[in-house]
Amino acid sequence: MHESAAEKTRSIETPEGAFTVRLILDDLGSIYPGMIRYTVEVLHGSETVYTYAVNSYESARPDSPIDTRKVAEIVFFRLAHDVASRPHAYTRPRFFTRPLPGSGTSDVVILQGSPRRFGNSARIASWCDDEAARAGLSSRVLFLQDMDIRTCIGCYTCYNYGYCPVDDDMPGIIRALESASVIVVCTPVYTSTVPAGLKAVIDRCQWLHAREKVLGREVHARGLLVAVAGRRGTDPFVCVTRVVDAFMENLGILPAGPVLIGDLDRVRDVGKIEGSEGDVRAALRALLAPRDEG
């Protein structure tokens, strides 16, 4: 997936035992062009007890005064000095991470992207939830407007450690998406694209992309988009389908053909559009059927 190389190594003998401090270069160019990650590790014997990582995309601006390699080298020498000065502080593992919750997994995960708790997208989500139950599968509707989801800050920390430092409800979403077999996105069209809350989740799923590329935690899911719009025709859905397709492609989710339902400015209630519920259920039912392994 990527190449690693030990750039520097220092062995330190202390009353607490033998330590090794090493600087490792990882070429992550297969993920993003030119991305290099430097990791400084402290080992107590053969056990890794501390890590620090920084990548070249964290300081990618042309005017940035930060040289990634120099930062890593400074950390390497400071850690070597610190280990020699107070080895007792490095006898137990210390890792800065945000583990995903152990619960909250389902066969079918439904992202309800509308801020309207009882709107048309929520009703469609309930159809999907019911269809999963009819198939004997577990399902979960994530009402994104009820969750604390902050915007991506573009720090690229997730490509260092496989976790996001932003403290909010996103870990539960990552856990759900990573374990699902089918992912459904239910969304209205807002200004020709998806609502802000859903877009924030899509952007923050770079964390999941990093987990796939850095940690090898692949998503094995099929995907379905169900979108509603006030206007008739296909034009209102052009941007929505591109955004959701890009989201799924980025994570390796295999998308089915979308279900697009328009004319709701006139009809108001998606349940009154003939065939809409049947189309949604049929599209999801096709994804829930066992895969043909032949």
Side-chain angles (χ1 to χ4, degrees):
M1 184 163 53
H2 53 77
E3 296 180 359
S4 301
E7 293 285 292
K8 294 179 183 293
T9 301
R10 178 168 294 184
S11 299
I12 305 169
E13 294 293 334
T14 78
E16 302 290 345
F19 288 86
T20 303
V21 182
R22 60 187 185 186
L23 172 61
I24 300 169
L25 180 153
D26 288 291
D27 183 355
L28 303 183
S30 61
I31 301 174
Y32 284 115
M35 177 179 274
I36 300 294
R37 182 181 63 201
Y38 295 93
T39 303
V40 184
E41 293 184 335
V42 177
L43 287 79
H44 184 211
S46 60
E47 181 183 19
T48 302
V49 293
Y50 183 86
T51 62
Y52 170 87
V54 62
N55 70 68
S56 55
Y57 269 51
E58 294 180 67
S59 55
R61 300 193 319 271
D63 60 340
S64 174
I66 300 173
D67 182 303
T68 309
R69 184 185 180 90
K70 287 183 179 178
V71 169
E73 289 179 342
I74 289 170
V75 171
F76 172 83
F77 288 115
R78 286 185 176 178
L79 275 174
H81 175 76
D82 201 43
V83 169
S85 301
R86 50 188 200 118
H88 60 277
Y90 295 90
T91 56
R92 290 184 297 177
R94 294 187 299 159
F95 298 112
F96 303 100
T97 186
R98 295 186 63 212
L100 301 185
S103 59
T105 63
S106 300
D107 299 314
V108 181
V109 172
I110 303 159
L111 300 179
Q112 201 290 93
S114 172
R116 298 180 64 212
R117 190 65 164 76
F118 302 103
N120 288 311
S121 293
R123 186 167 186 183
I124 291 169
S126 72
W127 296 341
C128 295
D129 194 29
D130 179 66
E131 196 61 39
R134 291 185 182 188
L137 300 174
S138 61
S139 63
R140 183 182 179 193
V141 180
L142 296 175
F143 293 92
L144 304 182
Q145 82 284 351
D146 293 339
M147 305 177 76
D148 176 22
I149 307 297
R150 303 183 186 182
T151 58
C152 177
I153 60 174
C155 65
Y156 289 94
T157 298
C158 54
Y159 293 94
N160 292 336
Y161 304 104
Y163 78 91
C164 177
V166 178
D167 186 12
D168 60 5
D169 292 337
M170 199 65 197
I173 296 177
I174 296 296
R175 171 68 168 151
L177 295 178
E178 197 172 70
S179 59
S181 58
V182 173
I183 297 169
V184 182
V185 177
C186 298
T187 182
V189 174
Y190 274 30
T191 320
S192 297
T193 187
V194 298
L198 176 57
K199 186 56 167 62
V201 168
I202 288 173
D203 291 346
R204 289 288 301 287
C205 278
Q206 285 300 110
W207 176 4
L208 185 49
H209 180 263
R211 284 177 64 81
E212 290 181 321
K213 299 300 183 181
V214 175
L215 302 181
R217 306 295 177 85
E218 295 183 4
V219 174
H220 298 283
R222 290 173 285 180
L224 174 65
L225 165 65
V226 184
V228 296
R231 292 183 291 145
R232 297 181 182 181
T234 59
D235 287 350
F237 299 103
V238 170
C239 186
V240 167
T241 54
R242 288 178 178 173
V243 167
V244 176
D245 281 351
F247 161 66
M248 293 187 181
E249 180 182 0
N250 192 45
L251 299 179
I253 300 168
L254 301 176
V259 179
L260 309 176
I261 305 168
D263 201 25
L264 285 167
D265 280 347
R266 181 181 64 85
V267 180
R268 308 300 297 171
D269 183 353
V270 68
K272 294 181 179 179
I273 295 181
E274 184 177 357
S276 60
E277 181 175 354
D279 290 345
V280 171
R281 288 181 178 273
L284 181 56
R285 195 159 51 242
L287 290 184
L288 299 181
R291 300 191 192 197
D292 183 3
E293 301 296 340

